[in-house]
Amino acid sequence: MIKLKFKTVEWSKNKVRILDQTKLPLKVSYLEYDDYKKLAMAIKELKIRGAPAIGIAAAYGVVLGMMQGKYADKKEYEKRLDSVISTLKSTRPTAVNLFWALDRMKKVALEYEGYDMESRNKRLLHEALLIHQEDKVMCRKIGEYGAKLLKNGCRVLTHCNAGALATGGIGTALAPLFIAKAQGKKIKVYVDETRPVLQGARLTTWELLQQGIDTVLICDDMAAFLMQKKMIDCIITGADRIVRNLDAANKIGTYNLAVLAKFHKIPFYLAAPSSSFDHSVESGDKIKIEERSPKEVTNFWGRRTAPQKVKIFSPAFDVTPANLITAIITDKGIIKGKRMD
Ligand code: MRU
């Protein structure tokens, strides 16, 4: 049994309660929303982040949005539904879980078109809770399948945060580590700090230490050195969108690791739930990559570290081609990747 000491997102007393991830690890504080537009802003600002977690939060956001309004008739109700969903969809473009969850919410609302508005809202809440619960189960299964890949004493490198903070359960990339540890295996985890906003340094290390895992933080540019020195047995990251040919978008810097892993003949694994697979897109070049505020690059932890006039490019994700992926750990089992070595 893996016990978490925090709740990333929850529906509580007709509000959405999230752990404010922008304050971690210095402060553990929760935010409550009864306004879907404010929740949408929180998603945009990374107060809650990670592909499955933003899908869950957005699903709850639909419930908030529909509870907030008053509608003369069915037509008005559905107009409002479209507007709430489109606001939530506009928050972050890359993680498919957001769109997957919102499309699912819209589908059930439309299926209940013959019911009164209160019943439709109740049905929406039921669906959002279901999305949350299903994610919890998928994380657990990813953990169980993934743990089989981890030998006693193995040393794993991870990037960004794909733990409980990024999901409704125990995480995706971190789930196999938690389960392996619970099975009594000794695991050492190297964590990339993950510039520009440090999800690795701030969030992943925080979670791993809470579970008593041997955790070592490194700067992103140290990963190659560790691989060269044979200090890494495998790499596991999460994924924000895996498309039909198995190309996968994840936090910027993931592709670097995949290239390095192939060069050093180290297995490169992705861990992701079924909700991160986008069957509507054929290949990775069609994935929309989010660009973030230049401030995330010019500033470091609140302080300007670059000259005022410098130009900035700030893609938040990159795409790892399928031929660099050894395997994908999913809730349905392990899919063999296309890397040949
Ligand atoms: O910008 P973020 O922090 O939302 O990016 C998160 C990641 O890239 C994670 O690795 C990914 O969402 C997988 S999370 C289970």
Side-chain angles (χ1 to χ4, degrees):
M1 180 74 175
I2 288 121
K3 274 205 146 192
L4 298 173
K5 295 185 179 150
F6 55 87
K7 280 194 176 147
T8 300
V9 54
E10 71 177 321
W11 179 263
S12 167
K13 299 184 188 134
N14 286 347
K15 290 186 183 149
V16 181
R17 189 169 185 263
I18 62 166
L19 173 55
D20 184 353
Q21 300 194 28
T22 59
K23 300 279 188 295
L24 291 174
L26 302 180
K27 198 171 153 203
V28 178
S29 58
Y30 288 85
L31 297 164
E32 282 189 345
Y33 296 94
D34 56 11
D35 177 341
Y36 82 99
K37 284 192 178 157
K38 289 188 180 152
L39 177 65
M41 191 50 76
I43 295 174
K44 220 175 201 154
E45 292 173 346
L46 310 186
K47 289 185 165 50
I48 179 157
R49 32 64 51 206
I54 60 178
I56 296 162
Y60 287 136
V62 175
V63 186
L64 283 186
M66 297 316 290
M67 278 179 13
Q68 265 173 270
K70 287 221 179 335
Y71 320 100
D73 55 25
K74 195 178 112 185
K75 208 167 145 207
E76 259 190 37
Y77 182 91
E78 284 170 16
K79 199 169 148 212
R80 165 79 171 191
L81 181 71
D82 281 341
S83 146
V84 168
I85 288 182
S86 117
T87 301
L88 289 160
K89 276 191 176 177
S90 71
T91 53
R92 302 200 66 195
T94 304
V96 72
N97 312 60
L98 178 71
F99 303 92
W100 169 85
L102 290 170
D103 289 345
R104 191 165 148 178
M105 294 298 282
K106 179 160 180 177
K107 192 164 171 267
V108 298
L110 296 184
E111 274 167 12
Y112 265 54
E113 64 161 347
Y115 289 75
D116 61 61
M117 292 163 213
E118 206 184 317
S119 306
R120 289 179 94 176
N121 286 350
K122 271 194 188 151
R123 180 66 188 85
L124 281 172
L125 176 58
H126 175 76
E127 195 66 17
L129 292 166
L130 208 61
I131 287 172
H132 195 166
Q133 179 56 28
E134 284 172 14
D135 190 63
K136 211 179 215 171
V137 174
M138 288 194 287
C139 287
R140 178 88 208 175
K141 288 188 173 158
I142 288 170
E144 284 162 5
Y145 286 119
K148 293 184 186 156
L149 298 170
L150 303 175
K151 293 201 180 91
N152 187 27
C154 78
R155 300 150 309 164
V156 181
L157 174 65
T158 192
H159 188 69
C160 193
N161 173 267
L165 288 167
T167 66
I170 57 168
T172 55
L174 299 194
L177 309 170
F178 294 150
I179 301 268
K181 166 86 175 36
Q183 289 168 343
K185 291 180 194 166
K186 230 178 133 217
I187 307 281
K188 190 182 196 90
V189 185
Y190 289 94
V191 181
D192 268 359
E193 65 173 351
T194 319
R195 267 288 279 157
V197 288
L198 306 177
Q199 289 95 330
R202 296 187 300 106
L203 311 177
T204 300
T205 54
W206 186 74
E207 279 195 47
L208 290 170
L209 291 172
Q210 280 181 18
Q211 296 299 327
I213 290 180
D214 183 6
T215 303
V216 183
L217 175 64
I218 60 167
C219 296
D220 301 329
D221 43 15
M222 296 170 186
F225 177 81
L226 270 75
M227 292 189 218
Q228 188 184 45
K229 295 284 174 200
K230 303 201 182 311
M231 293 166 71
I232 305 292
D233 298 308
C234 72
I235 296 160
I236 312 181
T237 74
D240 285 80
R241 189 185 294 239
I242 302 172
V243 296
R244 273 218 303 274
N245 72 349
L246 300 186
D247 289 350
N250 193 50
K251 179 54 55 190
I252 192 79
T254 303
Y255 172 49
N256 306 24
L257 294 182
V259 172
L260 286 168
K262 177 150 170 93
F263 182 82
H264 292 284
K265 298 190 171 42
I266 296 167
F268 179 83
Y269 302 122
L270 291 181
S274 305
S275 52
S276 300
F277 284 77
D278 182 356
H279 302 286
S280 73
V281 171
E282 175 51 38
S283 58
D285 53 335
K286 307 279 186 319
I287 300 174
K288 184 157 192 248
I289 299 294
E290 177 181 9
E291 279 185 41
R292 305 269 318 163
S293 158
K295 263 202 165 161
E296 290 182 359
V297 177
T298 55
N299 289 39
F300 189 81
W301 213 224
R303 266 186 73 174
R304 178 112 195 162
T305 50
Q308 289 298 337
K309 283 189 180 157
V310 72
K311 289 184 202 155
I312 302 298
F313 179 46
S314 183
F317 298 92
D318 56 28
V319 174
T320 298
N323 62 8
L324 293 178
I325 299 166
T326 308
I328 304 177
I329 309 160
T330 79
D331 49 290
K332 301 212 165 79
I334 295 176
I335 303 172
K336 206 176 150 357
K338 294 185 179 168
R339 195 173 111 182
M340 298 291 171
D341 60 11

